[in-house]
Amino acid sequence: MKSAIRWEQSDDGIVSLVLDDPDQSVNTVNTAYIQGLSDAIDRLEVESSSVTGVILRSAKRSFLAGGDLNRLLDADAAMLDDFVADIDMRKGLTLRLESLPLPVVAIVNGPALGGGLELALCCHHTIAIDDGKIVVGLPESRLGLMPGAGGIVRTVQRLGIDRALDDLILPGRKYVLAEAITLGLIDEAAASTEDAVRAAEAWIAANPSGRRRTDTVSRGAARPLPAPRAVPVAAAVTRVANAALTAPTPEALHIESEEFGRVVVSDATKNALRMHFFATNALRKRAKALSTDPVDLADIPEDLRPAVRHAPDFVGDGQRFAEISWGGDENASAAASGLLRVGIVPILLSPGHEAFSHTMQTALALAVTEAEHNGSARADIESALYWSGLPGGSSIEAAQLREPATDDHIELACALLDRMASAGRSAVAAGVLAFVEDADAASVRVAGFPGWTGGIGTWLDGGRKMVENMPAGSLEDAR
């Protein structure tokens, strides 16, 4: 196996560990990377007397992407112990890197999201190249997942629990360079790779003994678990963050591994991963396959202009979607291509139909009204909306929902999901969507159906059974 990490040592003893997977256009947390990191750390520990410092940088256009999604999808409850042990092994590598008696500097170029930022966080100093391409963050919670490679533990230790959870992890927010420096995720900026290397060498010379990152602010106080939801990511993240306040780093990292494992093996998380990555990418590819010369809507005569309905960012990952009336004619195809050109993914509707999103959202509104008329208290409806992640529930303050969700709340949530999904399926059967295979992804992206369900088809084919079979830990949070 070719190594994904190249060892380069200068005459002054500084070792550059260059992330450069020979088989991929980007660096990812794959087997070659893990083996390369293990070999490099073994060598650093053996040769530390002849090494003056370490610079971790990438030869690609980005620093380090996340892990293998298929590996996460393959993990199940039967292999949970082995999965957690593997995560612990990987974290052991970054803990050894962090604990070296040598200064370790990360040079970040391009996006460093999820695993990329988690690698930088274990270094003693981080420099980012100010080329307008830097974006850092831990966006996993927006996608039904959670940071699992030390991100929760190290951000709580560095930023304090409130800033780590509220400004970064729970909202899944991404930061550009200036914001990342202000928050404390990046230490300094450099104008170019050459300037970044010089700055790293200067920092190493000024800090020859190396040091583990120490707190610059109070870590804060333990937080109560947030209001329960169908996907227990927020509760799992909070448990890890609370542990990071007082537990030794190795113990806190292990707790993070255990919580990460329990989240990963849940059906709800797997549905969310399939939806937000694979189904969404398939939807985008179908739209691109129809692309023609792009035209702005404003340039199409009004009487020939297709109707366009822009969707809110229901998922919160920054991707934009819009429904467009498309009958295969030249103007509609050009308009769809025009949307793609500005970063908006078109959901193609057959002409003459009501918007798919409007049909589903109207069904939800009617179901809520009927629940009220049938005697459900508004507080119970809000609890059901919040637990399920349906539109109208995500904005409710968690502090208002500290009481555990009851079986009645969960049953009401399932009934609301049923109504909304049934309306969507009927619309698909009536030919609303130009491509029926878009139904699941479209229901999530433009109608606000929760991603953890897998979309309307997946929900109607077995969603209630999935809720009944939620792992014990999830039911403890939910009930």
Side-chain angles (χ1 to χ4, degrees), residues 298-456:
D299 295 333
I300 299 175
E302 188 170 353
D303 60 330
L304 299 176
R305 190 180 304 163
V308 175
R309 179 186 176 99
H310 292 271
D313 184 5
F314 287 111
V315 174
D317 61 356
Q319 297 190 67
R320 296 182 294 166
F321 296 81
E323 296 167 282
I324 180 170
S325 179
W326 182 85
D329 60 281
E330 182 178 344
N331 286 317
S333 295
S337 298
L339 291 173
L340 279 170
R341 182 176 62 180
V342 296
I344 301 171
V345 180
I347 308 292
L348 307 177
L349 307 182
S350 300
H353 289 279
E354 186 178 67
F356 183 59
S357 60
H358 183 263
T359 297
M360 290 187 60
Q361 289 162 358
T362 299
L364 175 62
L366 288 173
V368 167
T369 299
E370 289 176 12
E372 290 177 323
H373 288 168
N374 291 333
S376 294
R378 185 63 201 177
D380 292 331
I381 294 173
E382 289 177 349
S383 290
L385 292 171
Y386 188 86
W387 181 85
S388 64
L390 281 165
S394 59
S395 63
I396 299 171
E397 289 293 332
Q400 299 173 8
L401 293 168
R402 292 293 181 201
E403 293 300 318
T406 66
D407 287 342
D408 287 342
H409 293 148
I410 296 172
E411 174 56 34
L412 177 57
C414 289
L416 297 176
L417 290 166
D418 285 345
R419 283 287 297 276
M420 195 176 182
S422 295
R425 177 171 278 183
S426 294
V428 172
V432 170
L433 295 176
F435 298 96
V436 295
E437 56 265 44
D438 288 347
D440 279 343
S443 68
V444 172
R445 289 295 183 173
V446 300
F449 204 68
W452 65 268
T453 65
I456 57 173

Side-chain angles (χ1 to χ4, degrees), residues 158-177:
R158 182 184 297 199
L159 309 177
I161 191 168
D162 292 334
R163 293 173 71 206
L165 294 189
D166 297 336
D167 296 342
L168 183 66
I169 299 171
L170 293 179
R173 185 176 172 188
K174 302 173 186 178
Y175 289 90
V176 297
L177 178 54

Side-chain angles (χ1 to χ4, degrees), residues 119-130:
L119 177 62
L121 286 169
C122 78
C123 297
H124 306 142
H125 193 71
T126 303
I127 302 167
I129 299 173
D130 189 6

